[in-house]
Amino acid sequence: MLTKKIEDSLSLIRKAENLALHMQPERGFWLAFSGGKDSQCIYHLAKMAGVRFEAHYSLTTLDPPELVRFIRSQYPDVVRDRPEKSFVQLCLGKGIMPTRVIRFCCSELKESQGKGFVTMIGIRKEESARRGKRNAVERTGRRKADRAEMDLTGMQESGFQCVKGSDRFTVAPILEWTHEDVWDFLNKVVKVPHCELYDKGRTRLGCLFCPMSSLNSIHRDEQEYPKYKAVLMRMIRRMIEAGCFQKIPDATPEDVWEWWISKESVEKYLLRKKQAKLF
């Protein structure tokens, strides 16, 4: 079963290379590399397919140091792209902190990369209901909602006339793979090491204190990365002084932090705090 999936993934990558080279003749694909197991898979599949690509890791300034070291030592050819503004600078500039609803950190620190390329991504349908609706090859217009499934054969025959300056293209070679497929490929097929954070119980790798993480995960980050939390607390203090959290009466950095990791709206958080005082 895995052998067939590998063959299908390699076939897709090789077909998509025509479009990648049409957009970037000298550079080929932009491979979005996170250092996690899924991005390792697409990296090694691209190597096996023999296609032209550049692998890029987008630094966010909230990167786990173990992950950065792993990428530097095991994938030295991966380009580490530094953001124009750090996470702290983004929050101070906008006067808000990212939440599950307003995730400007992802859009500005990660998703803005790779313009003008065909981007190879390591998403899988199994991961979420939203990703379960994705296609292996997509064109995205000015809005993320404007996703369209692409027919690579038809595009080649039409001379890529559908390529427009505002379009972005993604290729997801392991979209149909399972969690077990990924680990079997890494451990039994290409036989490469993985980031130590997996061995420490992490199931997904990404930014520290990500608002999309569970509360347990954030508490773990607090314990294991206190210096990073201290940076965020200083940022929150500066934001309070600038009047950014006026909806939370007499807010302290600890109040704002408690609200932020609660994943609640300010109104719901304040109501819960008020009810707690009544009992």
Side-chain angles (χ1 to χ4, degrees):
M1 186 66 174
L2 178 57
T3 300
K4 178 64 167 57
K5 288 184 178 180
I6 293 173
E7 292 174 353
D8 290 344
S9 297
L10 293 175
S11 176
L12 173 65
I13 293 171
R14 288 168 180 150
K15 287 180 180 178
E17 188 184 25
N18 291 323
L19 176 57
L21 293 176
H22 173 74
M23 297 184 71
Q24 291 289 339
E26 301 299 324
R27 302 170 71 181
F29 290 101
W30 179 287
L31 191 148
F33 193 83
S34 69
K37 64 185 188 304
D38 297 328
S39 67
Q40 284 186 268
C41 274
I42 62 172
Y43 174 93
H44 289 287
L45 286 168
K47 288 283 190 181
M48 291 169 66
V51 297
R52 189 172 300 171
F53 72 94
E54 290 182 3
H56 289 255
Y57 175 67
S58 296
L59 291 160
T60 65
T61 64
L62 283 179
D63 313 272
E66 299 92 337
L67 180 60
V68 176
R69 288 196 297 268
F70 171 73
I71 296 172
R72 184 184 297 118
S73 64
Q74 298 297 326
Y75 296 90
D77 59 322
V78 171
V79 180
R80 295 186 296 278
D81 296 315
R82 297 186 178 277
E84 293 183 6
K85 294 182 179 180
S86 68
F87 176 83
V88 169
Q89 289 171 328
L90 278 178
C91 293
L92 290 173
K94 292 180 178 291
I96 57 174
M97 296 175 70
T99 64
R100 286 178 177 266
V101 178
I102 307 173
R103 294 173 59 195
F104 61 83
C105 47
C106 284
S107 61
E108 298 204 27
L109 296 174
K110 293 183 178 181
E111 296 167 3
S112 62
Q113 302 292 332
K115 293 181 180 178
F117 286 76
V118 174
T119 303
M120 195 183 303
I121 55 177
I123 65 169
R124 294 182 292 108
K125 287 184 176 182
E126 183 186 62
E127 295 178 293
S128 68
R130 178 178 294 181
R131 291 186 174 183
K133 299 176 183 179
R134 296 289 297 271
N135 303 299
V137 183
E138 291 181 335
R139 180 185 67 217
T140 305
R142 293 185 181 275
R143 297 181 303 170
K144 291 183 181 179
D146 294 336
R147 285 199 175 101
E149 183 176 8
M150 299 303 301
D151 179 357
L152 290 172
T153 303
M155 289 180 68
Q156 187 171 3
E157 291 173 351
S158 66
F160 306 107
Q161 294 176 5
C162 59
V163 177
K164 299 177 182 178
S166 61
D167 289 337
R168 301 186 67 179
F169 297 84
T170 59
V171 176
I174 61 170
L175 191 64
E176 304 293 341
W177 288 35
T178 66
H179 177 84
E180 290 75 18
D181 291 333
V182 170
W183 283 118
D184 283 346
F185 177 74
L186 294 178
N187 295 332
K188 299 177 182 179
V189 180
V190 292
K191 299 179 181 179
V192 294
H194 53 263
C195 182
E196 64 188 83
L197 290 173
Y198 286 120
D199 300 324
K200 295 179 179 179
R202 303 268 177 169
T203 57
R204 303 187 71 173
L205 309 186
C207 296
L208 299 174
F209 305 105
C210 175
M212 299 301 292
S213 300
S214 67
L215 185 57
N216 286 338
S217 179
I218 290 180
H219 284 325
R220 181 171 180 174
D221 288 345
E222 288 180 295
Q223 295 175 356
E224 297 181 0
Y225 304 97
K227 291 183 179 180
Y228 285 78
K229 180 184 177 181
V231 170
L232 296 181
M233 293 299 281
R234 288 196 294 271
M235 175 195 77
I236 291 172
R237 185 175 298 279
R238 290 176 62 185
M239 294 176 73
I240 291 174
E241 292 171 353
C244 297
F245 299 108
Q246 294 183 6
K247 288 186 177 181
I248 303 177
D250 303 316
T252 66
E254 290 73 21
D255 292 331
V256 174
W257 182 264
E258 183 182 351
W259 157 71
W260 188 54
I261 68 174
S262 73
K263 321 293 184 185
E264 298 172 335
S265 67
V266 172
E267 292 75 17
K268 186 175 181 180
Y269 166 75
L270 292 175
L271 178 61
R272 178 170 59 80
K273 295 288 288 184
K274 180 178 180 180
Q275 291 175 336
K277 291 181 179 179
L278 296 177
F279 295 95

